[in-house]
């Protein structure tokens, strides 16, 4: 658990977690239910897209309510919030993968913009007391050699994914300002850890290495991301739920800037696989060069700081994928094969 020094102040009872069967949402649900963070109900609303998997939270099935539904469905969202007397919404549900947003952007606008707006409007009408909107550092665009994103950095999204998240952030902040609606926006850096869908860099490279397949590194491999373990992200969200200020934005960063190629090499080394498996492929269109997140506001206001050392978290993550081959084989069936073929075979 990440460190936070301030006494929790907010009393939250019945919580709706959207996207709670996805990668980060399920980490939140496992911690919240497993550690009894909320005295009332934890209700998970998830459309179970290709990225959602009930298995990720199945160990806690008896202690939560699961609703299979779409955040764009206003009637269902309204019924869910009123039936379960939801006072808190933690909103993870999204289309989350940049490469998919380049191949097919419309669903990103539908879920990330329209879906968020639908959820927000129903939450406002029904008097939800706290709406925590989970966003991303990608809304700030790309950095050069120096500096990091603060909450005051201008929005400059480059991919359709990032643009859809920025649009959603603006709507949430507009509700806070216009209606005094109690919302908070968080912007986190790249997450890693168990249960991440194997289209993203770290799990994809682990699985390709395990299978002896080529590891497709985009461009020159020198792009930099700021990595954070899901345990630290979820710990930050808990602090913000307890004591974050309404109407505010909080950046959440891992403080682990790494070049892609260095991560790929570390994975190969750990698994005892040859570097000859690396294949430099054509670059992602509009590829952001570097992200780095300044979390000073979260540290000074709420006393949070990340505690998982990157090399340890990466090792633990690699071992999780080694142990959980049946999990990743199942999620990679079907639709993923079609995506994979479109994404990589053309490069
Ligand atoms: P994910 O793709 O693993 O999970 C998304 C979840 O949302 C899935 O369970 C999916 O079924 C569900 N979902 C998608 N469309 C839906 C809809 N219309 N209605 C209901 N449920 C729907 O994503 P993730 O990586 O866990 O990201 C979660 C959130 O965190 C997203 O909002 C993302 O933008 C944000 N974020 C992610 C990262 C990261 O590194 N992965 C970093 C910062 C912020
Ligand atoms: O920064 C936060 C964001 O991090 C989140 O908002 C997104 O939801 C999440 O997907 C992630 O976006 P990225 O595009 O940074 O993550 P991805 O894992 O797709 O790529 C990480 C880096 O690795 C990026 O520079 C592209 C590169 N890459 C990725 C893949 C999948 C490769 O070189 N090869 C690959 O096959």
């Amino acid at each position: 658990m990440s460190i936070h020094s301030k006494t929790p102040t907010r009393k939250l009872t019945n919580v709706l977690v959207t996207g709670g069967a996805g990668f980060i949402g399920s980490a939140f649900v496992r911690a919240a239910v497993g550690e009894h963070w909320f005295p009332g109900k934890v209700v998970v609303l998830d459309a179970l897209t290709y990225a959602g998997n009930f298995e990720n939270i199945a160990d806690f099935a008896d202690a939560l309510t699961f609703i299979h539904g779409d955040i764009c469905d206003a009637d269902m969202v309204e019924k869910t919030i009123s039936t379960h007397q939801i006072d808190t919404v933690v909103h993870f549900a999204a289309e989350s993968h940049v490469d998919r947003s380049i191949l097919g952007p419309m669903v990103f606008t539908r879920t990330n913009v329209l879906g968020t707006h639908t959820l927000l409007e129903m939450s406002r009408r029904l008097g939800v007391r706290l709406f925590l909107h989970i966003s991303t550092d990608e809304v700030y665009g790309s950095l050069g050699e120096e500096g990091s994103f603060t909450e005051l950095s201008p929005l400059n999204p480059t991919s359709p994914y990032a643009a859809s998240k920025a649009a959603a952030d603006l709507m949430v902040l507009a509700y806070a300002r216009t209606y005094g609606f109690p919302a908070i926006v968080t912007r986190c850096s790249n997450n890693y850890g168990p249960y991440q869908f194997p289209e993203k860099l770290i799990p994809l490279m682990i699985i390709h290495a395990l299978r002896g397949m080529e590891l497709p590194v985009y461009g020159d491999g020198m792009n930099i991301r700021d990595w954070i373990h899901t345990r630290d992200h979820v710990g930050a969200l808990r602090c913000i739920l307890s004591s974050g200020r309404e109407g505010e934005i909080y950046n959440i960063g891992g403080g682990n800037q790494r070049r892609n190629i260095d991560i790929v090499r570390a994975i190969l080394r750990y698994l005892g696989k040859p570097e000859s498996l690396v294949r430099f492929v054509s670059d992602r269109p509009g590829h952001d060069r570097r992200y780095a997140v300044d979390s000073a506001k979260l540290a000074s206001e709420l006393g949070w700081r990340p505690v998982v050392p990157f090399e340890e978290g990466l090792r633990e993550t690699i071992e999780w994928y080694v142990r959980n081959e049946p999990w990743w084989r199942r999620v990679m069936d079907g639709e993923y094969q079609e995506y994979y073929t479109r994404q990589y075979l053309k490069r």
Side-chain angles (χ1 to χ4, degrees):
M1 174 54 53
S2 306
I3 291 174
H4 65 117
S5 59
K6 300 282 156 57
T7 316
T9 52
R10 207 176 262 117
K11 296 267 180 293
L12 306 169
T13 307
N14 296 321
V15 179
L16 175 65
V17 184
T18 71
F23 166 49
I24 309 171
S26 71
F28 180 90
V29 168
R30 290 190 301 273
V33 175
E35 297 165 19
H36 309 287
W37 290 359
F38 305 103
K41 293 182 199 170
V42 173
V43 179
V44 174
L45 168 59
D46 199 298
L48 297 180
T49 67
Y50 78 93
N53 183 356
F54 185 74
E55 217 182 311
N56 299 354
I57 48 173
D59 287 349
F60 298 93
D62 293 344
L64 54 82
T65 303
F66 183 79
I67 296 171
H68 184 196
D70 184 336
I71 55 167
C72 298
D73 179 347
D75 292 342
M76 182 277 304
V77 168
E78 181 175 22
K79 190 166 159 232
T80 300
I81 294 175
S82 51
T83 306
H84 297 284
Q85 298 179 298
I86 296 297
D87 56 38
T88 308
V89 174
V90 186
H91 176 37
F92 294 96
E95 288 294 333
S96 70
H97 191 41
V98 173
D99 292 324
R100 284 186 190 253
S101 82
I102 296 167
L103 290 171
M106 292 308 290
V107 68
F108 284 73
T109 302
R110 181 186 181 276
T111 291
N112 300 359
V113 184
L114 188 60
T116 298
H117 197 176
T118 304
L119 189 69
L120 191 61
E121 175 59 10
M122 291 306 146
S123 300
R124 180 180 77 89
R125 286 192 201 170
L126 295 167
V128 161
R129 287 179 28 229
L130 185 65
F131 188 99
L132 182 59
H133 175 63
I134 312 303
S135 188
T136 167
D137 61 354
E138 294 202 14
V139 298
Y140 299 121
S142 186
L143 289 165
E145 300 282 307
E146 301 291 320
S148 51
F149 302 125
T150 74
E151 290 81 358
L152 298 176
S153 299
L155 295 181
N156 188 21
T158 55
S159 69
Y161 161 70
S164 70
K165 293 295 289 187
D169 288 17
L170 290 176
M171 191 57 80
V172 174
L173 293 168
Y175 267 53
R177 175 127 188 181
T178 306
Y179 305 112
F181 179 67
I184 299 176
V185 172
T186 62
R187 293 180 177 152
C188 190
S189 61
N190 283 62
N191 283 230
Y192 71 102
Y195 299 97
Q196 186 168 29
F197 194 83
E199 64 192 349
K200 308 275 168 59
L201 180 77
I202 289 181
L204 185 130
M205 296 300 170
I206 296 171
I207 290 169
H208 280 221
L210 286 171
R211 289 175 149 184
M213 293 163 69
E214 286 180 337
L215 277 62
V217 174
Y218 299 166
D220 62 5
M222 306 294 259
N223 302 65
I224 291 174
R225 297 292 182 266
D226 174 354
W227 295 93
I228 184 169
H229 196 282
T230 41
R231 270 206 300 283
D232 278 330
H233 185 181
V234 163
L237 297 177
R238 188 185 188 189
C239 290
I240 293 164
L241 281 167
S242 297
S243 319
R245 286 185 296 134
E246 291 166 12
E248 293 290 318
I249 299 164
Y250 290 95
N251 281 353
I252 307 171
N256 299 301
Q257 290 185 59
R258 296 289 185 282
R259 298 185 310 185
N260 294 338
I261 188 65
D262 295 334
I263 292 184
V264 168
R265 288 192 178 124
I267 292 170
L268 287 170
R269 260 198 317 278
Y270 186 82
L271 291 172
K273 302 285 180 175
E275 272 208 25
S276 56
L277 284 177
V278 171
R279 182 156 77 94
F280 290 95
V281 299
S282 57
D283 211 352
R284 171 186 278 175
H287 198 175
D288 288 340
R289 194 62 174 170
R290 185 172 75 89
Y291 303 147
V293 169
D294 181 342
S295 326
K297 177 173 172 180
L298 187 53
S300 65
E301 282 190 20
L302 303 185
W304 175 87
R305 65 175 171 79
V307 296
V308 182
F310 180 70
E311 277 63 32
E312 210 174 295
L314 181 63
R315 198 171 53 243
E316 185 195 290
T317 303
I318 296 171
E319 284 165 6
W320 188 87
Y321 281 90
V322 170
R323 282 198 312 277
N324 288 279
E325 182 167 341
W327 179 90
W328 54 259
R329 283 203 181 273
R330 274 194 295 279
V331 303
M332 287 171 83
D333 274 354
E335 190 268 354
Y336 181 73
Q337 296 302 335
E338 189 200 322
Y339 163 74
Y340 179 80
T341 308
R342 279 199 296 158
Q343 177 62 19
Y344 292 104
L345 297 191
K346 70 177 189 333
R347 289 171 184 265

